[in-house]
Amino acid sequence: MALPALLLFALFALVPMAIVVYLSFTRWDGLGSPAWAGTDNWREALTSDVTRHALWLTAKMMVFSWVVQTPISLLLGVFVSGKQRYRALLAVFYFVPLLISTAAIAVIFKNLLDPNFGLGAALDLPILGQDWLGDPQLAFYAVVFVIAWQFVPFHTLLYQAGARQIPASLYEAASIDGAGRLKQFWHITLPQLRYTIVTSSTLMVVGSLTYFDLVFVLTGGGPGYATRILPLDMYITGFQSNEMGLASAISVVLVLAGLLLSLALLRFSGFNRMRSQQAGM
């Protein structure tokens, strides 16, 4: 039963990865035949200031994305899992970003954040009228904000589903003991959502290594190198500088970083030792 799945995985994942590893040891401009270059690409990738800066930016974006998205998603997920008034109406509008493509979101925010005819100019608000995407000091944080706007609804869904699985009897017992909402959230909701937090964090951290289309449309990696994260550095190196061998080495670094992060999260979060919270399962 597993053979077709293994064959598909080998055809669409392992074989392309093996080809990329081979290309990382060659000089190739995308045309003609690759020429063997030994470890030159790897030496260049590991010593290049641009690539190391891209790796640093990727790690920084990973941390900022987690710090921004996790608390917002957690609180909203718990809120929309309840029975508050207008909760369903809020959920309909709030999950709109999940229905819009990444390129469309990038185009929308690129226009909204434009200092000349964007939201700041239309509302005459100086704080919104800044050149968010053109200022090297602001562009990175503007990108983090747009990424959070896109992905918070998805993680909110995870927390909403997790919060709805918490037995109501726990809250009823806590209320009888005199525990307020804050204590209930801290001593019941958070511990019960620990597996959801690990799952959401893993998706968030590893997924941050795949940000490309949104950053590419928003800033193209600029201004300067302010938003040139590793996936974008790989694309620019390969398809704009025509250095496919070096770009292949960068892509292998990206894959290895994703694998190491996934293994580290599984190891230190105890995800592989988790048990179902449902009775009898």
Side-chain angles (χ1 to χ4, degrees):
M1 291 293 289
L3 185 59
L6 289 174
L7 288 175
L8 287 173
F9 180 73
L11 183 62
F12 293 105
L14 296 181
V15 172
M17 194 64 231
I19 294 174
V20 169
V21 171
Y22 165 72
L23 289 176
S24 70
F25 292 98
T26 66
R27 291 283 182 194
W28 189 41
D29 60 2
L31 299 172
S33 301
W36 185 256
T39 58
D40 290 353
N41 291 323
W42 283 94
R43 191 161 45 248
E44 188 174 347
L46 297 176
T47 58
S48 166
D49 290 339
V50 175
T51 302
R52 284 194 293 188
H53 179 69
L55 190 59
W56 157 246
L57 274 185
T58 305
K60 186 178 173 184
M61 185 165 287
M62 187 186 305
V63 172
F64 272 80
S65 295
W66 188 88
V67 169
V68 172
Q69 293 180 44
T70 297
I72 297 175
S73 304
L74 175 60
L75 293 176
L76 282 173
V78 172
F79 174 74
V80 296
S81 68
K83 299 177 180 178
Q84 295 84 350
R85 201 176 182 186
Y86 305 124
R87 176 186 56 80
L89 183 64
L90 170 67
V92 169
F93 287 105
Y94 186 72
F95 294 127
V96 166
L98 292 177
L99 308 176
I100 306 176
S101 72
T102 302
I105 290 173
V107 171
I108 290 170
F109 274 95
K110 193 171 186 177
N111 286 283
L112 287 176
L113 297 175
D114 190 287
N116 298 312
F117 54 86
L119 201 58
L123 300 178
D124 195 23
L125 293 174
I127 190 170
L128 290 178
Q130 298 184 70
D131 192 3
W132 289 95
L133 299 176
D135 187 332
Q137 304 297 324
L138 300 175
F140 177 83
Y141 301 102
V143 170
V144 169
F145 170 78
V146 178
I147 289 173
W149 188 87
Q150 180 185 15
F151 288 106
V152 161
F154 170 74
H155 294 283
T156 297
L157 277 178
L158 296 181
Y159 286 114
Q160 181 187 16
R164 285 185 172 175
Q165 299 301 315
I166 301 175
S169 57
L170 294 178
Y171 293 105
E172 292 169 0
S175 297
I176 293 173
D177 290 339
R181 288 186 178 275
L182 188 59
K183 282 189 175 180
Q184 291 179 22
F185 176 79
W186 188 257
H187 294 290
I188 297 176
T189 307
L190 274 184
Q192 291 291 319
L193 287 178
R194 59 187 184 279
Y195 296 167
T196 309
I197 293 173
V198 172
T199 302
S200 172
S201 298
T202 303
L203 293 173
M204 208 178 290
V205 169
V206 178
S208 65
L209 295 175
T210 65
Y211 296 154
F212 168 74
D213 41 2
L214 187 138
V215 184
F216 179 71
V217 177
L218 264 182
T219 65
Y225 297 103
T227 58
R228 184 163 164 162
I229 55 177
L230 204 56
L232 208 55
D233 183 53
M234 175 189 67
Y235 172 81
I236 293 172
T237 302
F239 293 95
Q240 294 185 4
S241 301
N242 296 322
E243 295 185 62
M244 293 296 181
L246 180 56
S248 299
I250 296 172
S251 69
V252 175
V253 171
L254 195 59
V255 171
L256 291 176
L259 287 174
L260 290 175
L261 273 173
S262 301
L263 292 174
L265 285 168
L266 287 173
R267 171 77 176 174
F268 294 111
S269 67
F271 187 84
N272 53 348
R273 300 189 298 274
M274 289 181 180
R275 297 288 184 271
S276 172
Q277 292 172 283
Q278 299 294 317
M281 298 181 65

